[in-house]
Amino acid sequence: MNASIALGPARRLTDLLSSGLPERGKSRRNAMDQPRTDEDQELVARTQGGDAHAFDDLVVKYTPRLYGLVYNMTSNHEDTNDLLQDVFAKAYKSIRGFRGKSSFYTWIHSIAVNMTLNFLKKRGRRYHLSLDDVDGNIQNDKEFLELTASSSPVREADLSELQKRLNEAMMKLSDEHRAVVTMFHIQGMPHAEISKILSVSEGTVRSRLFYANRQLQNYLDEFRKNPVA
């Protein structure tokens, strides 16, 4: 089965390689990715009051971001679709017990991450990564198109090979380390938000990132030394 990790713009991928996977500064997340507590609180309150359409609005708002999160952890579109249905079903059944001790943003991400990690433990490693499948999201990204508009065939081959190597390297990480890398490097979440979602300390988040980054660098050393086979 073909699958690949959607790691964002190619420029960011090459930056990660050349700079040793540093912590990112300001996230360039879309405004829709930012938690809007006031709007969410209103929709949650209406859902708790029996307004199913309000929950539909939450589903529409969070589906794109949660899809990216789950897919980058599972590397499988069918599994991602199934998991998202389960995530929102569980959230809907549990929302009456949601008391707002955390933001809805944190709460729904926690459900998604925990359900995905549990799924991955049950699934094991029965799926293998196809090195022939370069994620279409990369090739349609504006920054990728700008970067490769005047590229030589060798440069384009380098980027394609880099994507494949990153896909393979990501899948070699443990599920827990891949989750942290996905949330921090791919989705641009700060340490504090990740620690809330995973219910661990920020120090633990940093240590997991450090370990995962070091592992990724080790996996990619061969490509960095000899980028064109």
Side-chain angles (χ1 to χ4, degrees):
M1 180 176 293
N2 290 337
S4 65
I5 300 296
L7 283 177
R11 180 177 300 154
R12 185 163 72 232
L13 302 184
T14 54
D15 287 346
L16 292 179
L17 283 178
S18 61
S19 58
L21 289 164
E23 293 185 2
R24 295 164 64 185
K26 293 183 178 180
S27 170
R28 295 178 296 168
R29 289 179 294 179
N30 185 286
M32 286 299 292
D33 291 338
Q34 300 284 354
R36 295 178 57 187
T37 306
D38 53 346
E39 178 183 285
D40 288 353
Q41 286 178 340
E42 178 186 349
L43 291 173
V44 168
R46 285 169 52 194
T47 302
Q48 291 173 329
D51 184 354
H53 293 296
F55 189 77
D56 289 341
D57 289 341
L58 289 169
V59 171
V60 170
K61 177 179 179 179
Y62 282 100
T63 290
R65 186 171 181 84
L66 292 180
Y67 192 97
L69 172 66
V70 175
Y71 175 67
N72 277 291
M73 291 173 65
T74 64
S75 192
N76 184 276
H77 289 294
E78 292 181 5
D79 290 340
T80 299
N81 288 327
D82 292 342
L83 275 166
L84 278 188
Q85 291 185 36
D86 293 342
V87 166
F88 285 119
K90 181 175 182 179
Y92 186 72
K93 291 177 181 178
S94 306
I95 200 166
R96 289 186 181 277
F98 177 67
R99 296 291 178 262
K101 292 182 179 180
S102 65
S103 66
F104 179 82
Y105 175 96
T106 299
W107 187 69
I108 193 69
H109 277 76
S110 295
I111 293 174
V113 170
N114 288 328
M115 290 186 71
T116 303
L117 287 173
N118 289 336
F119 168 80
L120 290 172
K121 287 182 174 65
K122 294 178 181 178
R123 186 185 77 174
R125 299 286 177 158
R126 71 172 183 263
Y127 293 120
H128 68 278
L129 188 68
S130 170
L131 297 182
D132 296 323
D133 185 21
V134 179
D135 193 85
N137 292 334
I138 293 291
Q139 299 179 25
N140 293 324
D141 188 274
K142 181 180 178 181
E143 288 190 347
F144 180 85
L145 294 175
E146 291 174 353
L147 180 65
T148 59
S150 59
S151 294
S152 67
V154 172
R155 175 60 174 165
E156 292 173 1
D158 287 352
L159 290 172
S160 178
E161 181 64 22
L162 172 59
Q163 177 67 39
K164 294 174 184 178
R165 294 295 180 92
L166 282 168
N167 290 341
E168 186 177 36
M170 280 285 287
M171 294 305 291
K172 288 181 179 179
L173 296 176
S174 71
D175 298 334
E176 289 77 9
H177 286 100
R178 191 162 67 254
V180 174
V181 169
T182 296
M183 285 186 279
F184 184 76
H185 284 301
I186 301 174
Q187 295 214 312
M189 293 185 188
H191 293 140
E193 191 65 46
I194 297 173
S195 71
K196 292 176 184 176
I197 290 170
L198 295 178
S199 298
V200 298
S201 69
E202 289 188 45
T204 297
V205 172
R206 290 190 180 92
S207 65
R208 289 183 184 179
L209 274 171
F210 178 81
Y211 176 83
N213 290 344
R214 186 171 60 183
Q215 292 300 107
L216 286 174
Q217 285 299 142
N218 290 337
Y219 294 143
L220 295 169
D221 267 350
E222 181 181 349
F223 178 80
R224 296 176 68 194
K225 294 174 183 176
N226 184 27
V228 180

